[in-house]
Amino acid sequence: MNFTNPFCDLDGDKLREECGIFGVIGAEHAVAVTALGLHALQHRGQEACGIVTYDGKEFYAQRGIGHVASVFEGGDLHHVQPGSMASGHVRYSTTGGAGLRNVQPLFADLASGGFSIAHNGNISNAASLKRELVQRGAIFQSTSDTEVIIHLVATSRYPTLLDRFVDALRMVEGAYSLICMTPDGIIACRDPLGIRPLVMGRLGDAIVFSSESVAFDVIGAEFIRSIEPGELVQVDQQGTISSHRPFGNPKPRPCIFEHVYFSRPDSVMDGRSVYAVRKQIGVELAKESVVAADAVIPVPDSGMPAAIGYAQQSGIPFELGIIRSHYVGRTFIQPSEGARHADVKRKHNANRAIVEGKRIVLIDDSIVRGTTSKKIVEMMRDAGAAEVHFRVASPPTSNSCFYGVDTPERSKLLAATMDTAAMAEFIKADSLAFVSIDGLYRAVGEQNRNNKSPQFCDACFSGEYPTSLTDLAERERHDLLTLPINKVA
């Protein structure tokens, strides 16, 4: 379900959250609140954004390619009429690829009235469901997996919209946090395992929903609570809040990588400060793999909290040995390896006065393909580092994600093809170590990983996927059937 994304870091060497969602009902300036909330969630999706509003009579939409500040430049919301209810979305393209027709929130006129949907996650049986829907006469306007939910709602035979919505969700598998708008109000929900996050807050008399709590800080809202896994929260136009749990109470499996990288460090995720968790990961990393060195240096900006924790636990001084430029435009297609390398140096530059002659420990959040890590190590060598030891604030990323993260295919993940020693040789580090999966779990407040019943979704590290992967299984069967007969074994 994942497609190559030209908006990713220079060569796809960072995992990217697919999107962020925001919604508000009962606010005097709902569209302005939503635009501000999306700006706080910009890190979750930088390819495109959109807002849909409802003024009590009609739905209005404005969508565009680019950052929130450019799509809604100077408060340009002329296509989105005033109203007290709005929802918005920022995205990267994974399922469905790029293009304006895939920019959310998606909207459709159903028999019951207008229906908009903003989705964070990935429906892992979307292709199978779409094939069945098309055979029954459905006409799709996008290539997004999210549109499948709209068609399932539209074709459900249950009497009320809420029942039709629940009926649709029973047919999908994978990960989803959703904010849906109808003429009657907003429905916000998480999948039964709570893989993707969603929180609820209050802004005066208005109720707000967001992928992360940091958006509430930005708009001045009060955090109320997280939407529980499998919960649907319905807010009508009078502000009445009702909670529904049609999926029972399954054991949650929220994405642990939210704590490692995806969320902003000033967010609170499932009651835990993201910054505090990342700092504690560094502490665990130092306990497990300390090395004699003169300086602990973060790879900006994602390695910063873990590097602070590592330095405090190890007693090795924390230094800014790499300076990041915040004024470099996003990289699209670079014509050559030399150009890509030059782009790394434009974004990151060695602080020679700190690095030269020193034994350094580099701290980063993850290694995906390993190409950027290799260039960073080379940069440190060129700046005169005596030794370069690389420490990673997550276990080896050896498996693809099918739950809403833009992950390279497994064969392109460095940890899927090499052991730690080979990876260290590839990136040219004197040593390489990752935090253990138990160390990661301890950092988020667990004693260890419960191997019989893991507390989080950690499939990118463990390969243990918490849901069925119907589309993947069908593709693998197809690939097997289309192999030459002498290749099947």
Side-chain angles (χ1 to χ4, degrees), residues 218-272:
V218 171
I219 67 172
E222 174 192 1
F223 175 85
I224 297 176
R225 65 178 178 87
S226 294
I227 305 303
E228 297 298 322
E231 181 185 19
L232 282 76
V233 174
Q234 193 173 22
V235 186
D236 66 20
Q237 297 290 1
Q238 289 70 48
T240 303
I241 303 172
S242 55
S243 173
H244 310 271
R245 295 180 180 272
F247 307 108
N249 293 287
K251 190 176 184 301
R253 292 284 297 277
C255 172
I256 201 166
F257 217 91
E258 290 282 352
H259 294 284
V260 174
Y261 178 72
F262 295 143
S263 298
R264 265 180 53 161
D266 44 348
S267 282
V268 174
M269 192 67 57
D270 294 322
R272 303 175 177 94

Side-chain angles (χ1 to χ4, degrees), residues 73-133:
E73 184 177 3
D76 179 13
L77 300 163
H78 60 279
H79 294 301
V80 191
Q81 301 299 314
S84 63
M85 183 171 68
S87 65
H89 189 275
V90 290
R91 83 182 296 256
Y92 280 111
S93 61
T94 58
T95 302
L100 191 58
R101 66 175 176 158
N102 290 320
V103 179
Q104 298 186 32
L106 299 182
F107 176 81
D109 278 309
L110 306 184
S112 56
F115 182 85
S116 83
I117 183 169
H119 172 206
N120 173 209
N122 193 61
I123 305 304
S124 57
N125 64 336
S128 174
L129 290 170
K130 181 176 181 179
R131 185 167 56 249
E132 294 175 9
L133 287 162

Side-chain angles (χ1 to χ4, degrees), residues 4-8 18 42 44-49 64-68 70-71 90-94 97-100 102-103 330 332 406:
T4 302
N5 178 9
F7 288 79
C8 277
E18 184 180 348
Q42 186 72 86
R44 298 184 73 89
Q46 298 182 39
E47 178 193 319
C49 59
I65 304 298
H67 290 187
V68 175
S70 61
V71 173
V90 290
R91 83 182 296 256
Y92 280 111
S93 61
T94 58
L100 191 58
N102 290 320
V103 179
R330 298 189 60 76
F332 288 76
D406 191 12

Side-chain angles (χ1 to χ4, degrees), residues 177-398:
S177 284
L178 303 171
I179 295 176
C180 302
M181 296 197 310
T182 74
D184 295 326
I186 276 184
I187 303 172
C189 68
R190 289 174 79 184
D191 64 77
L193 298 182
I195 297 174
R196 302 261 67 86
L198 191 62
V199 294
M200 178 169 64
R202 185 181 295 277
L203 179 66
D205 295 329
I207 299 297
V208 288
F209 299 95
S210 174
S211 291
E212 292 185 40
S213 65
V214 68
F216 298 162
D217 298 334
V218 171
I219 67 172
E222 174 192 1
F223 175 85
I224 297 176
R225 65 178 178 87
S226 294
I227 305 303
E228 297 298 322
E231 181 185 19
L232 282 76
V233 174
Q234 193 173 22
V235 186
D236 66 20
Q237 297 290 1
Q238 289 70 48
T240 303
I241 303 172
S242 55
S243 173
H244 310 271
R245 295 180 180 272
F247 307 108
N249 293 287
K251 190 176 184 301
R253 292 284 297 277
C255 172
I256 201 166
F257 217 91
E258 290 282 352
H259 294 284
V260 174
Y261 178 72
F262 295 143
S263 298
R264 265 180 53 161
D266 44 348
S267 282
V268 174
M269 192 67 57
D270 294 322
R272 303 175 177 94
S273 160
V274 173
Y275 174 82
V277 167
R278 289 178 188 169
K279 188 175 172 183
Q280 187 61 34
I281 294 173
V283 170
E284 297 292 337
L285 190 54
K287 289 178 179 178
E288 295 178 350
S289 57
V290 72
V291 63
D294 303 306
V296 175
I297 295 174
V299 176
D301 288 322
S302 55
M304 194 76 72
I308 293 171
Y310 190 100
Q312 291 179 351
Q313 176 64 31
S314 66
I316 302 169
F318 172 92
E319 300 284 1
L320 294 179
I322 303 172
I323 306 301
R324 178 188 173 190
S325 171
H326 292 270
Y327 305 100
V328 178
R330 298 189 60 76
T331 303
F332 288 76
I333 300 172
Q334 295 289 1
S336 67
E337 178 65 23
R340 286 193 293 269
H341 181 69
D343 189 73
V344 173
K345 299 199 73 172
R346 287 192 300 129
K347 290 182 178 180
H348 299 103
N349 190 50
N351 188 351
R352 181 177 289 272
I354 295 298
V355 171
E356 192 168 17
K358 303 288 182 60
R359 300 167 300 171
I360 65 171
V361 181
L362 287 174
I363 308 287
D364 204 356
D365 62 275
S366 61
I367 292 180
V368 183
R369 300 173 189 260
T371 49
T372 297
S373 302
K374 184 176 183 179
K375 290 164 187 172
I376 294 291
V377 171
E378 182 182 350
M379 184 188 302
M380 296 295 97
R381 301 277 193 205
D382 291 343
E387 297 176 11
V388 181
H389 303 275
F390 212 102
R391 297 293 180 266
V392 185
S394 62
T397 304
S398 54

